[in-house]
Amino acid sequence: MQRGSDGDAPDLRLAVSYRDDHCVAQVGGVVDAATTSRLVAGLAHPIATGVRLLVVDLSEVSVFGSAGVSALMSVRAMARVDGCRLRLACCPPTVARVVALAALRPFRSVAEALAARPVPPPRA
């Protein structure tokens, strides 16, 4: 298992880029029971800011446990409540197999996920 710089916490990387009415979150490293609370909090923030579409790029994920699926399903539920679409993209084969079991459909690329409009209208 990968470890963070402090030697104890698994390494989870999350970078969020905002663009107009959507954002792209790039996730890397370990997504498991030890890191999912950080992942959920990091993905909840853009949803709370009112973006209409959140694309999660999983291309740099090295470990993806069942807790990761649960976390993404929680984020998807939060997004729906706030009128935001959640789309997964760029899943490595091992990640794609796990998310497919949970009926989460990943897109092959961020560009494909962004092009698969429509997104919900802005909140009133």
PDB file of all heavy atoms in Angstrom, residues 88-108:
ATOM      1  N   LEU A  88     -17.679   9.783 -14.085  1.00  0.00           N
ATOM      2  CA  LEU A  88     -16.354   9.213 -13.887  1.00  0.00           C
ATOM      3  C   LEU A  88     -15.666   9.094 -15.233  1.00  0.00           C
ATOM      4  O   LEU A  88     -16.320   8.836 -16.245  1.00  0.00           O
ATOM      5  CB  LEU A  88     -16.456   7.825 -13.252  1.00  0.00           C
ATOM      6  CG  LEU A  88     -17.277   7.711 -11.974  1.00  0.00           C
ATOM      7  CD1 LEU A  88     -17.273   6.273 -11.481  1.00  0.00           C
ATOM      8  CD2 LEU A  88     -16.764   8.656 -10.913  1.00  0.00           C
ATOM      9  N   ALA A  89     -14.347   9.258 -15.239  1.00  0.00           N
ATOM     10  CA  ALA A  89     -13.599   9.179 -16.493  1.00  0.00           C
ATOM     11  C   ALA A  89     -12.228   8.561 -16.257  1.00  0.00           C
ATOM     12  O   ALA A  89     -11.686   8.616 -15.150  1.00  0.00           O
ATOM     13  CB  ALA A  89     -13.450  10.569 -17.105  1.00  0.00           C
ATOM     14  N   CYS A  90     -11.688   8.016 -17.317  1.00  0.00           N
ATOM     15  CA  CYS A  90     -10.294   7.559 -17.371  1.00  0.00           C
ATOM     16  C   CYS A  90      -9.961   6.512 -16.314  1.00  0.00           C
ATOM     17  O   CYS A  90      -8.912   6.571 -15.676  1.00  0.00           O
ATOM     18  CB  CYS A  90      -9.335   8.739 -17.229  1.00  0.00           C
ATOM     19  SG  CYS A  90      -9.625  10.093 -18.346  1.00  0.00           S
ATOM     20  N   CYS A  91     -10.820   5.547 -16.142  1.00  0.00           N
ATOM     21  CA  CYS A  91     -10.574   4.515 -15.130  1.00  0.00           C
ATOM     22  C   CYS A  91      -9.553   3.500 -15.635  1.00  0.00           C
ATOM     23  O   CYS A  91      -9.735   2.936 -16.711  1.00  0.00           O
ATOM     24  CB  CYS A  91     -11.864   3.763 -14.813  1.00  0.00           C
ATOM     25  SG  CYS A  91     -13.100   4.747 -13.987  1.00  0.00           S
ATOM     26  N   PRO A  92      -8.511   3.236 -14.844  1.00  0.00           N
ATOM     27  CA  PRO A  92      -7.644   2.109 -15.185  1.00  0.00           C
ATOM     28  C   PRO A  92      -8.479   0.824 -15.179  1.00  0.00           C
ATOM     29  O   PRO A  92      -9.521   0.765 -14.517  1.00  0.00           O
ATOM     30  CB  PRO A  92      -6.614   2.091 -14.045  1.00  0.00           C
ATOM     31  CG  PRO A  92      -6.669   3.455 -13.446  1.00  0.00           C
ATOM     32  CD  PRO A  92      -8.080   3.922 -13.639  1.00  0.00           C
ATOM     33  N   PRO A  93      -8.053  -0.224 -15.893  1.00  0.00           N
ATOM     34  CA  PRO A  93      -8.864  -1.446 -15.992  1.00  0.00           C
ATOM     35  C   PRO A  93      -9.313  -2.022 -14.649  1.00  0.00           C
ATOM     36  O   PRO A  93     -10.459  -2.440 -14.514  1.00  0.00           O
ATOM     37  CB  PRO A  93      -7.951  -2.428 -16.739  1.00  0.00           C
ATOM     38  CG  PRO A  93      -7.053  -1.548 -17.552  1.00  0.00           C
ATOM     39  CD  PRO A  93      -6.830  -0.313 -16.709  1.00  0.00           C
ATOM     40  N   THR A  94      -8.439  -2.038 -13.660  1.00  0.00           N
ATOM     41  CA  THR A  94      -8.840  -2.603 -12.364  1.00  0.00           C
ATOM     42  C   THR A  94      -9.910  -1.759 -11.693  1.00  0.00           C
ATOM     43  O   THR A  94     -10.820  -2.296 -11.066  1.00  0.00           O
ATOM     44  CB  THR A  94      -7.629  -2.739 -11.423  1.00  0.00           C
ATOM     45  OG1 THR A  94      -6.984  -1.475 -11.307  1.00  0.00           O
ATOM     46  CG2 THR A  94      -6.645  -3.773 -11.931  1.00  0.00           C
ATOM     47  N   VAL A  95      -9.842  -0.447 -11.843  1.00  0.00           N
ATOM     48  CA  VAL A  95     -10.854   0.449 -11.280  1.00  0.00           C
ATOM     49  C   VAL A  95     -12.153   0.314 -12.060  1.00  0.00           C
ATOM     50  O   VAL A  95     -13.232   0.249 -11.479  1.00  0.00           O
ATOM     51  CB  VAL A  95     -10.363   1.911 -11.262  1.00  0.00           C
ATOM     52  CG1 VAL A  95     -11.463   2.846 -10.792  1.00  0.00           C
ATOM     53  CG2 VAL A  95      -9.116   2.053 -10.402  1.00  0.00           C
ATOM     54  N   ALA A  96     -12.059   0.243 -13.375  1.00  0.00           N
ATOM     55  CA  ALA A  96     -13.254   0.128 -14.222  1.00  0.00           C
ATOM     56  C   ALA A  96     -14.067  -1.113 -13.871  1.00  0.00           C
ATOM     57  O   ALA A  96     -15.294  -1.063 -13.830  1.00  0.00           O
ATOM     58  CB  ALA A  96     -12.853   0.110 -15.698  1.00  0.00           C
ATOM     59  N   ARG A  97     -13.381  -2.219 -13.593  1.00  0.00           N
ATOM     60  CA  ARG A  97     -14.096  -3.451 -13.226  1.00  0.00           C
ATOM     61  C   ARG A  97     -14.870  -3.267 -11.925  1.00  0.00           C
ATOM     62  O   ARG A  97     -16.008  -3.702 -11.806  1.00  0.00           O
ATOM     63  CB  ARG A  97     -13.120  -4.620 -13.112  1.00  0.00           C
ATOM     64  CG  ARG A  97     -12.698  -5.181 -14.446  1.00  0.00           C
ATOM     65  CD  ARG A  97     -11.967  -6.499 -14.292  1.00  0.00           C
ATOM     66  NE  ARG A  97     -10.651  -6.363 -13.692  1.00  0.00           N
ATOM     67  CZ  ARG A  97      -9.542  -6.073 -14.358  1.00  0.00           C
ATOM     68  NH1 ARG A  97      -9.592  -5.874 -15.664  1.00  0.00           N
ATOM     69  NH2 ARG A  97      -8.386  -5.973 -13.732  1.00  0.00           N
ATOM     70  N   VAL A  98     -14.260  -2.623 -10.954  1.00  0.00           N
ATOM     71  CA  VAL A  98     -14.917  -2.432  -9.659  1.00  0.00           C
ATOM     72  C   VAL A  98     -16.111  -1.485  -9.790  1.00  0.00           C
ATOM     73  O   VAL A  98     -17.190  -1.778  -9.281  1.00  0.00           O
ATOM     74  CB  VAL A  98     -13.920  -1.911  -8.601  1.00  0.00           C
ATOM     75  CG1 VAL A  98     -14.619  -1.595  -7.295  1.00  0.00           C
ATOM     76  CG2 VAL A  98     -12.811  -2.927  -8.377  1.00  0.00           C
ATOM     77  N   VAL A  99     -15.952  -0.359 -10.482  1.00  0.00           N
ATOM     78  CA  VAL A  99     -17.068   0.585 -10.592  1.00  0.00           C
ATOM     79  C   VAL A  99     -18.187   0.024 -11.458  1.00  0.00           C
ATOM     80  O   VAL A  99     -19.357   0.328 -11.216  1.00  0.00           O
ATOM     81  CB  VAL A  99     -16.629   1.994 -11.067  1.00  0.00           C
ATOM     82  CG1 VAL A  99     -15.651   2.614 -10.101  1.00  0.00           C
ATOM     83  CG2 VAL A  99     -16.079   1.989 -12.466  1.00  0.00           C
ATOM     84  N   ALA A 100     -17.856  -0.827 -12.423  1.00  0.00           N
ATOM     85  CA  ALA A 100     -18.895  -1.443 -13.250  1.00  0.00           C
ATOM     86  C   ALA A 100     -19.787  -2.366 -12.417  1.00  0.00           C
ATOM     87  O   ALA A 100     -20.992  -2.457 -12.670  1.00  0.00           O
ATOM     88  CB  ALA A 100     -18.270  -2.215 -14.408  1.00  0.00           C
ATOM     89  N   LEU A 101     -19.222  -3.022 -11.429  1.00  0.00           N
ATOM     90  CA  LEU A 101     -20.016  -3.888 -10.551  1.00  0.00           C
ATOM     91  C   LEU A 101     -21.068  -3.089  -9.785  1.00  0.00           C
ATOM     92  O   LEU A 101     -22.097  -3.629  -9.395  1.00  0.00           O
ATOM     93  CB  LEU A 101     -19.111  -4.626  -9.565  1.00  0.00           C
ATOM     94  CG  LEU A 101     -18.182  -5.671 -10.175  1.00  0.00           C
ATOM     95  CD1 LEU A 101     -17.212  -6.188  -9.131  1.00  0.00           C
ATOM     96  CD2 LEU A 101     -18.979  -6.806 -10.791  1.00  0.00           C
ATOM     97  N   ALA A 102     -20.804  -1.809  -9.579  1.00  0.00           N
ATOM     98  CA  ALA A 102     -21.741  -0.945  -8.855  1.00  0.00           C
ATOM     99  C   ALA A 102     -22.624  -0.160  -9.816  1.00  0.00           C
ATOM    100  O   ALA A 102     -23.298   0.782  -9.412  1.00  0.00           O
ATOM    101  CB  ALA A 102     -20.964   0.016  -7.954  1.00  0.00           C
ATOM    102  N   ALA A 103     -22.611  -0.534 -11.088  1.00  0.00           N
ATOM    103  CA  ALA A 103     -23.424   0.126 -12.120  1.00  0.00           C
ATOM    104  C   ALA A 103     -23.054   1.595 -12.291  1.00  0.00           C
ATOM    105  O   ALA A 103     -23.892   2.414 -12.635  1.00  0.00           O
ATOM    106  CB  ALA A 103     -24.909  -0.047 -11.838  1.00  0.00           C
ATOM    107  N   LEU A 104     -21.789   1.919 -12.050  1.00  0.00           N
ATOM    108  CA  LEU A 104     -21.283   3.259 -12.349  1.00  0.00           C
ATOM    109  C   LEU A 104     -20.589   3.166 -13.708  1.00  0.00           C
ATOM    110  O   LEU A 104     -19.695   2.346 -13.888  1.00  0.00           O
ATOM    111  CB  LEU A 104     -20.292   3.717 -11.272  1.00  0.00           C
ATOM    112  CG  LEU A 104     -20.858   3.877  -9.872  1.00  0.00           C
ATOM    113  CD1 LEU A 104     -19.730   4.085  -8.865  1.00  0.00           C
ATOM    114  CD2 LEU A 104     -21.816   5.042  -9.824  1.00  0.00           C
ATOM    115  N   ARG A 105     -21.023   3.965 -14.649  1.00  0.00           N
ATOM    116  CA  ARG A 105     -20.511   3.878 -16.013  1.00  0.00           C
ATOM    117  C   ARG A 105     -19.424   4.923 -16.235  1.00  0.00           C
ATOM    118  O   ARG A 105     -19.725   6.109 -16.348  1.00  0.00           O
ATOM    119  CB  ARG A 105     -21.634   4.098 -17.014  1.00  0.00           C
ATOM    120  CG  ARG A 105     -21.168   4.046 -18.446  1.00  0.00           C
ATOM    121  CD  ARG A 105     -22.284   4.388 -19.417  1.00  0.00           C
ATOM    122  NE  ARG A 105     -21.738   4.624 -20.727  1.00  0.00           N
ATOM    123  CZ  ARG A 105     -21.564   5.828 -21.252  1.00  0.00           C
ATOM    124  NH1 ARG A 105     -21.908   6.899 -20.576  1.00  0.00           N
ATOM    125  NH2 ARG A 105     -21.056   5.967 -22.450  1.00  0.00           N
ATOM    126  N   PRO A 106     -18.167   4.495 -16.336  1.00  0.00           N
ATOM    127  CA  PRO A 106     -17.111   5.484 -16.585  1.00  0.00           C
ATOM    128  C   PRO A 106     -16.996   5.835 -18.076  1.00  0.00           C
ATOM    129  O   PRO A 106     -17.260   5.001 -18.940  1.00  0.00           O
ATOM    130  CB  PRO A 106     -15.852   4.775 -16.100  1.00  0.00           C
ATOM    131  CG  PRO A 106     -16.146   3.320 -16.245  1.00  0.00           C
ATOM    132  CD  PRO A 106     -17.632   3.173 -16.051  1.00  0.00           C
ATOM    133  N   PHE A 107     -16.611   7.068 -18.341  1.00  0.00           N
ATOM    134  CA  PHE A 107     -16.308   7.508 -19.701  1.00  0.00           C
ATOM    135  C   PHE A 107     -14.834   7.239 -19.975  1.00  0.00           C
ATOM    136  O   PHE A 107     -14.021   7.200 -19.058  1.00  0.00           O
ATOM    137  CB  PHE A 107     -16.622   9.002 -19.862  1.00  0.00           C
ATOM    138  CG  PHE A 107     -18.087   9.298 -19.837  1.00  0.00           C
ATOM    139  CD1 PHE A 107     -18.751   9.501 -18.634  1.00  0.00           C
ATOM    140  CD2 PHE A 107     -18.815   9.365 -21.012  1.00  0.00           C
ATOM    141  CE1 PHE A 107     -20.105   9.768 -18.602  1.00  0.00           C
ATOM    142  CE2 PHE A 107     -20.179   9.630 -20.997  1.00  0.00           C
ATOM    143  CZ  PHE A 107     -20.826   9.833 -19.785  1.00  0.00           C
ATOM    144  N   ARG A 108     -14.491   7.071 -21.246  1.00  0.00           N
ATOM    145  CA  ARG A 108     -13.101   6.773 -21.603  1.00  0.00           C
ATOM    146  C   ARG A 108     -12.165   7.945 -21.372  1.00  0.00           C
ATOM    147  O   ARG A 108     -10.989   7.759 -21.116  1.00  0.00           O
ATOM    148  CB  ARG A 108     -13.018   6.335 -23.065  1.00  0.00           C
ATOM    149  CG  ARG A 108     -13.585   4.949 -23.310  1.00  0.00           C
ATOM    150  CD  ARG A 108     -13.398   4.553 -24.746  1.00  0.00           C
ATOM    151  NE  ARG A 108     -14.098   5.485 -25.614  1.00  0.00           N
ATOM    152  CZ  ARG A 108     -15.154   5.199 -26.336  1.00  0.00           C
ATOM    153  NH1 ARG A 108     -15.630   3.986 -26.333  1.00  0.00           N
ATOM    154  NH2 ARG A 108     -15.740   6.103 -27.087  1.00  0.00           N
TER     155      ARG A 108
END
